[in-house]
């Protein structure tokens, strides 16, 4: 009898336990407190070294921001969708998102120094011309060149080490400019020295490769926005991708309201003036401008979005290369351009050079048909006088000054122009 009662009690206990478990499973809040939740399975993003260009290092730009990519603290816009796919690798630039705390995100531009097609062509050219094969180790091939061997032995970056490179920034180099490059090269720990002792062989190859392909990221590093230069902030590089603060290209503002167009035109003229006259006595000039050369931040501030076509002449030291030295050519001279292209003489660059190009290519598209007569007619006339400056140098500065004077009262002071609002309410400057 006792055994039967024990078995009955045991079965009742089991039944009660089963009912308790069922009750807990039906109540989510109770279940959550009774047992630990299952670990969250994080989606993984497929990041190929080829997409970033890391498979080509050290014939690449750098690796300073790679951790941000792999920790998903830099995301392409497409990553915010449910598909989480990387964008096509053949694009030249991408819109992305950047975070330091995984909570607040800001827009960034992720760009290649040149198209993947041109990169691939350059890689093949290196192998076929230096190693006589279709494929090779790019680093090994470039390390054996005469130019790079000179870089390895050099204590200081001197004009002869950059002679013949296609970058406009280096067509008229001064020692002062080259020292600034070494001292502010952001892909290495900051040494603050003009000597290259703190650069490893790998660092020297990356710097030389970047200068050979496109000097845009170097300009962003040596003339930073925090010092007042009109460039977006350089955030870092990974393989052959560069990350910088995001700007919207000027072409997107061609259909903007008259007061916005007037404001951007005045900013554009001010940027060109600062490039010709600045405290460091460098004269910046453009070899080419288009609708993507300039960009606008979300606060309405205009910056140089693409610095790849900027040349620099040192007003203090002048160029330390003769035209004969400029014509020197090797594999580094031909990575992204035709080796047969001729260099522009440093002495042939006019101070009005960039101003005339902007009056020809950009300002007419930005200001066309925006204003009532007779204001529009006067604007068109001043732009024509400026654009004709290549054949008639007289009156360019006068035409631009009159244009600026005409545009100033046409812009407005409101929150759309956050970069100068509400200061414009209390200052005659605006």
């Amino acid at each position: 009898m006792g055994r039967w009662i024990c078995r009955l009690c045991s079965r009742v206990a089991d039944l009660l336990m089963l009912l308790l478990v069922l009750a807990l499973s039906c109540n989510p809040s109770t279940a959550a407190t009774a047992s630990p939740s299952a670990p969250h399975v994080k989606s993984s993003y497929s990041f190929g070294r080829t997409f970033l260009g890391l498979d080509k290092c050290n014939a690449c730009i750098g690796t300073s921001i790679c951790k941000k990519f792999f920790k998903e603290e830099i995301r392409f816009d497409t990553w915010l969708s449910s598909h989480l796919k990387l964008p096509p690798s053949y694009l030249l630039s991408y819109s992305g998102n950047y975070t330091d705390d995984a909570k607040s995100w800001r827009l960034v531009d992720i760009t290649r120094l040149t198209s993947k097609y041109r990169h691939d062509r350059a890689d093949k050219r290196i192998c076929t011309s230096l190693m006589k094969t279709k494929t090779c180790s790019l680093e090994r091939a470039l390390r054996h060149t005469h130019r790079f061997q000179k870089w390895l032995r050099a204590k200081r970056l001197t004009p002869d080490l950059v002679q013949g490179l296609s970058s406009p920034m280096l067509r008229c180099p001064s020692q002062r400019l080259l020292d600034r490059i070494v001292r502010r090269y952001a892909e290495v720990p900051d040494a603050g020295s003009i000597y290259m002792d703190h650069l490893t062989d790998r660092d020297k190859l990356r710097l030389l490769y970047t200068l050979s392909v496109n000097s845009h990221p170097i300009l962003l590093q040596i003339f930073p926005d925090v010092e007042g230069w009109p460039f977006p902030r350089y955030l870092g590089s990974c393989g052959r991708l560069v990350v910088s603060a995001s700007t919207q290209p000027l072409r997107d503002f061609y259909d903007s309201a008259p007061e916005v167009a007037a404001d951007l035109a005045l900013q554009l003229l001010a940027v060109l003036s600062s490039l010709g006259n600045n405290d460091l006595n460098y004269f910046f000039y453009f070899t080419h401008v288009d609708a993507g050369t300039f960009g606008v931040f979300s606060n309405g501030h205009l910056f140089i979005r693409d610095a790849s076509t900027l040349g620099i002449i040192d007003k203090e030291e002048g160029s330390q290369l003769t035209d004969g030295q400029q014509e020197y050519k090797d594999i580094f001279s031909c990575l992204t351009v035709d080796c047969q292209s001729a260099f522009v003489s440093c002495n042939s660059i006019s101070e009005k050079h960039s101003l005339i190009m902007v009056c020809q290519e950009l300002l007419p598209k930005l200001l066309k048909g925006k204003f009532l007569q007779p204001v529009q007619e006067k604007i068109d006339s001043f732009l024509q006088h400026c654009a004709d400056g290549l054949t008639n140098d007289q009156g360019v500065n006068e035409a631009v000054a009159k244009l600026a004077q005409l545009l100033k009262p046409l812009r407005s002071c409101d929150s759309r122009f956050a970069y100068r609002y509400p200061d414009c309410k209390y200052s005659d400057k605006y």
Side-chain angles (χ1 to χ4, degrees), residues 206-387:
R206 290 179 180 178
L207 177 58
L208 173 56
Y209 180 84
T210 306
L211 291 172
S212 302
V213 175
N214 188 329
S215 59
H216 170 78
I218 303 299
L219 272 160
L220 270 54
Q221 294 169 42
I222 66 176
F223 297 108
D225 65 311
V226 293
E227 295 179 4
W229 296 97
F231 303 107
R233 181 166 301 180
Y234 177 81
L235 297 173
S237 299
C238 183
R240 289 181 171 180
L241 291 179
V242 179
V243 183
S244 59
S246 177
T247 57
Q248 193 173 353
L250 186 64
R251 68 170 70 89
D252 293 352
F253 295 85
Y254 283 168
D255 294 328
S256 60
E259 61 272 21
V260 175
D263 183 82
L264 292 175
L266 284 167
Q267 286 193 73
L268 191 50
L269 296 177
V271 166
L272 294 181
S273 176
S274 70
L275 294 180
N277 300 281
N278 51 75
D279 293 341
L280 293 184
N281 249 347
Y282 287 115
F283 167 53
F284 297 77
Y285 65 93
F286 285 99
T287 58
H288 170 78
V289 294
D290 57 37
T293 301
F294 296 90
V296 183
F297 283 121
S298 58
N299 65 357
H301 207 170
L302 181 137
F303 275 63
I304 296 172
R305 190 171 190 258
D306 179 5
S308 62
T309 62
L310 266 181
I312 301 178
I313 294 177
D314 192 332
K315 290 183 178 180
E316 285 187 13
E317 293 187 3
S319 173
Q320 297 182 16
L321 282 183
T322 65
D323 287 343
Q325 287 176 307
Q326 280 185 312
E327 295 299 331
Y328 171 87
K329 301 284 177 67
D330 67 354
I331 189 64
F332 289 100
S333 311
C334 316
L335 291 183
T336 55
V337 297
D338 181 3
C339 285
Q340 305 305 316
S341 59
F343 289 124
V344 178
S345 171
C346 299
N347 298 324
S348 67
I349 306 298
S350 164
E351 289 196 6
K352 302 177 182 66
H353 183 82
S354 299
L355 194 56
I356 293 169
M357 282 198 297
V358 167
C359 287
Q360 290 175 338
E361 301 294 331
L362 302 183
L363 288 179
K365 297 173 184 175
L366 183 63
L367 300 174
K368 182 179 179 180
K370 286 284 177 21
F371 307 96
L372 298 175
Q373 300 296 355
V375 173
Q376 186 68 53
E377 185 178 351
K378 290 181 180 179
I379 289 175
D380 295 341
S381 176
F382 293 146
L383 285 176
Q384 190 61 52
H385 281 301
C386 174

Side-chain angles (χ1 to χ4, degrees), residues 110-249:
I110 305 169
T111 56
R112 300 183 187 278
L113 295 191
T114 187
S115 67
K116 189 173 185 303
Y117 170 73
R118 285 193 174 185
H119 267 312
D120 291 343
R121 279 187 60 188
D123 294 344
K124 289 180 181 178
R125 189 181 296 122
I126 292 171
C127 291
T128 54
S129 63
L130 298 180
M131 307 297 285
K132 310 303 179 185
T133 59
K134 291 184 179 180
T135 59
C136 68
S137 165
L138 299 177
E139 179 174 358
R140 188 178 305 153
L142 293 176
R143 286 177 70 90
H144 283 86
T145 60
H146 175 67
R147 186 191 294 266
F148 187 66
Q149 287 300 311
K150 286 178 65 177
W151 272 63
L152 289 179
R153 295 190 297 269
K155 292 292 185 182
R156 193 174 181 182
L157 185 60
T158 51
D160 63 297
L161 296 177
V162 299
Q163 63 176 310
L165 296 184
S166 62
S167 168
M169 184 182 76
L170 298 173
R171 290 183 186 175
C172 313
S174 68
Q175 188 59 58
R176 188 168 71 113
L177 176 64
L178 297 180
D179 287 344
R180 189 176 183 87
I181 291 174
V182 173
R183 197 171 62 247
R184 295 186 167 218
Y185 182 41
E187 287 298 311
V188 299
D190 181 18
S193 171
I194 62 174
Y195 297 101
M196 295 198 290
D197 296 336
H198 62 294
L199 270 63
T200 64
D201 294 358
R202 175 200 66 191
D203 298 329
K204 290 182 179 180
L205 181 56
R206 290 179 180 178
L207 177 58
L208 173 56
Y209 180 84
T210 306
L211 291 172
S212 302
V213 175
N214 188 329
S215 59
H216 170 78
I218 303 299
L219 272 160
L220 270 54
Q221 294 169 42
I222 66 176
F223 297 108
D225 65 311
V226 293
E227 295 179 4
W229 296 97
F231 303 107
R233 181 166 301 180
Y234 177 81
L235 297 173
S237 299
C238 183
R240 289 181 171 180
L241 291 179
V242 179
V243 183
S244 59
S246 177
T247 57
Q248 193 173 353

Side-chain angles (χ1 to χ4, degrees), residues 51-69:
F51 181 87
L52 294 170
L54 279 172
D55 58 325
K56 304 297 176 64
C57 281
N58 291 303
C60 62
I61 313 165
T63 56
S64 61
I65 210 165
C66 286
K67 286 184 179 179
K68 286 278 186 182
F69 277 104

Side-chain angles (χ1 to χ4, degrees), residues 382 397-407:
F382 293 146
N397 288 335
E398 183 182 353
V400 169
K402 289 182 177 179
L403 175 64
Q405 188 177 6
L406 189 63
L407 290 173

